[in-house]
Amino acid sequence: MDKIKSVAVVGGTHGNELTGIHLIKKWEKQPELINRSTFNTNILFSNPKAFEKRCRYIDIDLNRQFKTTGLNNPDLINYEQSRAKAINSQLGPKGDAKTDFIIDLHNTTSNMGPCLLLLGKNEFYRKMGAYVKHRMPHAVIIIQDFAAPEDYAFLISIAKYGVTIEMGSQPHGVLRQDILTYMEEMTGYILDYIEHVNNNTMPDLPSDYEAFYYTETIKIPVDDKGNRIGVVHKEVEGKDFQPLSPGDPIVSLFDGGELGWQGDYTAYPFFVNEAAYYEENIAMALSKKITVEI
């Protein structure tokens, strides 16, 4: 593959997820911490207005505004839609981006620990997962591979390569020292990996590693007025990446009943009861545990 020449580290895509915002402010003062010899590293504070208001977004979720069709639609002009176009101009344009690689820094209220989300499963991503996992054994690798590049709505999809770091559990609007440490550590390993790729100096990696492959999203049922009629079941709450067998309870209904997992495979939930997803009535995402071979 061609060498990666330009990397952007992005924080504050959601204004109430403070770890990435703190870190990009730190790196702005100490750029040597994220600089490497073979590529330029830039930082971006993606949603400063939402941060000022201490909210996830002003008008609409910024991290869902980067589909090619939306970026090219002049009628989409609310705050986040306009920010997406400005960011695409700065880092992109999508499909022919001046930025080769984007790292987007996020927090979750779910009990997910330090997670690296890979937007694909090609050799570059597979080896990155191995590199990070080898140096940070407690890290969780998640693979998302459900759309063509132009159809992804995430900010990282502007560039040819992109990853999301998710750290939790952490309440929105709060900083935790352990989460800060994990996020800075993981970001550093990703930058080191790119440096090794560029220099063709990759150290020995494990032949395989455990990861989780996103499969689907589970929603809380609602009544005819759109009101929730249940809550994430206590047997699943706080148990991200713990196995869920067909029939296991996943939703406790307010009328005393419960709903079980209706799938035909052992699922591993994550983003369990994520606070930011309440507006969409999302209970959790599901994945399959897989072995990634290098």
Side-chain angles (χ1 to χ4, degrees):
M1 59 175 284
D2 295 334
K3 287 187 176 182
I4 288 175
K5 299 177 181 178
S6 177
V7 173
V9 183
V10 179
T13 300
H14 298 131
N16 57 1
E17 297 177 12
L18 300 188
T19 308
I21 296 169
H22 173 86
L23 286 173
I24 64 170
K25 289 182 175 181
K26 174 180 178 177
W27 295 327
E28 186 175 31
K29 296 176 181 178
Q30 297 177 276
E32 69 276 5
L33 297 176
I34 56 171
N35 285 341
R36 300 294 186 271
S37 66
T38 63
F39 56 87
N40 295 321
T41 307
N42 302 298
I43 56 174
L44 174 67
F45 192 164
S46 49
N47 201 336
K49 192 172 181 179
F51 170 67
E52 290 172 6
K53 299 292 186 180
R54 293 299 195 272
C55 57
R56 182 174 175 86
Y57 55 79
I58 300 300
D59 292 315
I60 196 169
D61 191 335
L62 177 59
N63 205 33
R64 303 296 184 271
Q65 306 311 309
F66 292 90
K67 286 188 177 182
T68 302
T69 52
L71 293 170
N72 293 333
N73 186 341
D75 295 328
L76 301 182
I77 56 173
N78 71 27
Y79 176 70
E80 273 81 16
Q81 290 164 345
S82 299
R83 280 297 297 153
K85 290 177 171 63
I87 292 167
N88 185 56
S89 177
Q90 181 177 347
L91 302 182
K94 185 170 181 176
D96 187 26
K98 61 181 71 73
T99 304
D100 299 317
F101 188 94
I102 299 174
I103 305 170
D104 198 11
L105 307 176
H106 288 264
N107 292 123
T108 174
T109 62
S110 303
N111 188 31
M112 289 169 54
C115 296
L116 174 62
L117 281 71
L118 306 175
L119 204 61
K121 53 185 178 181
N122 60 31
E123 182 181 4
F124 176 76
Y125 285 127
R126 294 197 309 272
K127 288 185 176 180
M128 179 186 296
Y131 185 90
V132 171
K133 185 79 173 172
H134 185 57
R135 281 149 185 77
M136 199 174 180
H138 53 293
V140 178
I141 310 300
I142 303 170
I143 299 173
Q144 295 177 305
D145 185 32
F146 55 83
E150 64 272 14
D151 293 327
Y152 279 116
F154 307 131
L155 188 154
I156 60 173
S157 69
I158 292 173
K160 184 176 181 180
Y161 300 105
V163 297
T164 301
I165 294 178
E166 283 280 359
M167 296 280 172
S169 61
Q170 178 171 286
H172 295 317
V174 169
L175 280 173
R176 284 181 45 167
Q177 183 183 12
D178 56 344
I179 300 297
L180 273 168
T181 301
Y182 289 153
M183 186 174 283
E184 185 164 22
E185 182 180 2
M186 184 178 285
T187 303
Y189 289 141
I190 294 168
L191 296 172
D192 291 343
Y193 171 79
I194 296 171
E195 182 88 330
H196 282 302
V197 170
N198 283 348
N199 283 324
N200 196 26
T201 57
M202 191 63 61
D204 291 338
L205 298 174
S207 59
D208 57 48
Y209 61 94
E210 175 187 281
F212 296 88
Y213 189 86
Y214 167 80
T215 54
E216 58 188 293
T217 297
I218 299 294
K219 290 195 172 187
I220 297 287
V222 298
D223 62 19
D224 56 6
K225 295 182 180 179
N227 297 313
R228 285 183 168 215
I229 61 172
V231 65
V232 171
H233 200 282
K234 64 182 180 180
E235 294 300 323
V236 187
E237 185 67 60
K239 297 180 180 178
D240 296 72
F241 304 111
Q242 298 301 308
L244 190 65
S245 299
D248 285 351
I250 56 174
V251 173
S252 177
L253 299 173
F254 296 145
D255 65 6
E258 62 183 32
L259 301 177
W261 162 229
Q262 298 300 306
D264 58 0
Y265 61 93
T266 299
Y268 292 80
F270 63 105
F271 284 125
V272 175
N273 209 12
E274 161 60 48
Y277 296 163
Y278 265 55
E279 63 188 38
E280 300 178 74
N281 287 318
I282 293 174
M284 65 196 74
L286 297 181
S287 65
K288 292 182 178 180
K289 184 187 288 188
I290 62 173
T291 298
V292 178
E293 296 183 353
I294 303 303

